[in-house]
Amino acid sequence: MRVVDLGLLPYTQAEALQLATLAEVQEGGEETLYLVEHPKVITLGRQGGQDNLHISAEQLASQGIELAQTARGGNITCHFPGQLVAYPIFRVDKRKGGIRKFFADMEEATLRTAAHFGVAASRREGYPGVWTREPTETHERARKLCSMGIGVRRGITYHGLALNVGPDVSLFQLITLCGIAGAAPTSLSLEAGRTITLKDVKDVLTEHFRACFAHTAMAQNPAPLR
């Protein structure tokens, strides 16, 4: 599994890179995990999300916030500096357990990363991603730490997960988080009560991605983070 740190990169550029890499993997290239931060952007998934956007596209543009339609699953979410985004370009059609196991492994890598920093988190049935409080029937007080949504093209995944790391999650005020009324965003720094750096989280998440996906051919020849 090749791991590439893209630093801070606009969303549309990262999406183009994913598609180019997907084509390479489809032709036999090495599976790749991209780690990246994005400038402020709100993205809409295949299940929509426009109705969960609280301001107009014109208002977003005036604040320098991009609005992007994507091919991933899920509803509306947002990306911003201080959030770690991971894009696994993996052969899901070669994996035992298929998409369900793929999501479970992404969640497990995130859960282990949260635990490394002393943050108790969990899965929630029916709600992909990682939470720090169990949603009630109305989702009040539910706190979402990590959102997930993927696309699959020719048996290969792209898009992935967005793990909130820094203390500023204010961009979520402009949307209904993942279209779930009553859910609130949180981050590793907020939950831990101290500042946690993206550099530290990149290293830890990479380690746990390797461990969780090691049962496939994807992690048999680990490459250094670069």
Side-chain angles (χ1 to χ4, degrees):
M1 182 176 69
R2 184 174 65 124
V3 181
V4 181
D5 185 348
L6 298 174
L8 182 68
L9 190 69
Y11 183 84
T12 53
Q13 291 184 32
E15 186 173 48
L17 180 58
Q18 289 181 74
L19 290 172
T21 305
L22 187 152
E24 293 172 3
V25 173
Q26 213 276 331
E27 295 299 319
E30 188 175 13
E31 283 101 346
T32 298
L33 176 66
Y34 286 119
L35 303 177
V36 64
E37 283 180 278
H38 293 309
K40 291 181 179 181
V41 57
I42 291 175
T43 65
L44 307 173
R46 289 196 306 271
Q47 279 70 56
Q50 190 77 47
D51 54 334
N52 291 308
L53 178 63
H54 300 164
I55 67 174
S56 69
E58 291 75 21
Q59 289 173 306
L60 286 176
S62 72
Q63 298 179 44
I65 302 170
E66 184 182 358
L67 179 64
Q69 179 65 55
T70 78
R72 63 163 171 78
N75 202 277
I76 192 170
T77 194
C78 56
H79 305 302
F80 46 89
Q83 179 194 72
L84 177 58
V85 181
Y87 293 131
I89 318 298
F90 291 170
R91 295 183 183 91
V92 73
D93 59 341
K94 304 295 185 183
R95 289 178 50 78
K96 185 177 180 180
I99 295 293
R100 183 180 294 273
K101 184 67 165 63
F102 181 84
F103 266 96
D105 285 346
M106 285 204 302
E107 288 170 340
E108 183 63 25
T110 306
L111 289 167
R112 294 183 188 183
T113 298
H116 177 92
F117 294 99
V119 174
S122 61
R123 298 180 176 88
R124 297 305 170 205
E125 184 67 29
Y127 299 94
V130 171
W131 301 76
T132 61
R133 280 197 182 180
E134 183 171 0
T136 64
E137 186 174 339
T138 59
H139 305 291
E140 291 178 1
R141 300 183 302 279
R143 295 203 296 260
K144 196 167 193 181
L145 181 67
C146 178
S147 298
M148 296 183 180
I150 66 167
V152 179
R153 184 177 294 189
R154 295 181 291 183
I156 297 164
T157 66
Y158 65 124
H159 299 289
L161 65 84
L163 173 59
N164 304 325
V165 176
D168 184 2
V169 293
S170 59
L171 189 60
F172 284 105
Q173 295 174 5
L174 302 183
I175 67 172
T176 298
L177 174 58
C178 298
I180 305 172
T186 190
S187 72
L188 289 175
S189 292
L190 291 174
E191 295 295 322
R194 67 183 191 280
T195 299
I196 296 172
T197 70
L198 232 67
K199 171 66 166 63
D200 289 341
V201 178
K202 286 177 181 178
D203 292 341
V204 174
L205 184 65
T206 296
E207 174 187 348
H208 290 306
F209 246 88
R210 292 199 193 285
C212 290
F213 287 93
H215 56 282
T216 74
M218 288 183 286
Q220 289 179 359
N221 297 297
L225 183 65
R226 65 188 192 192

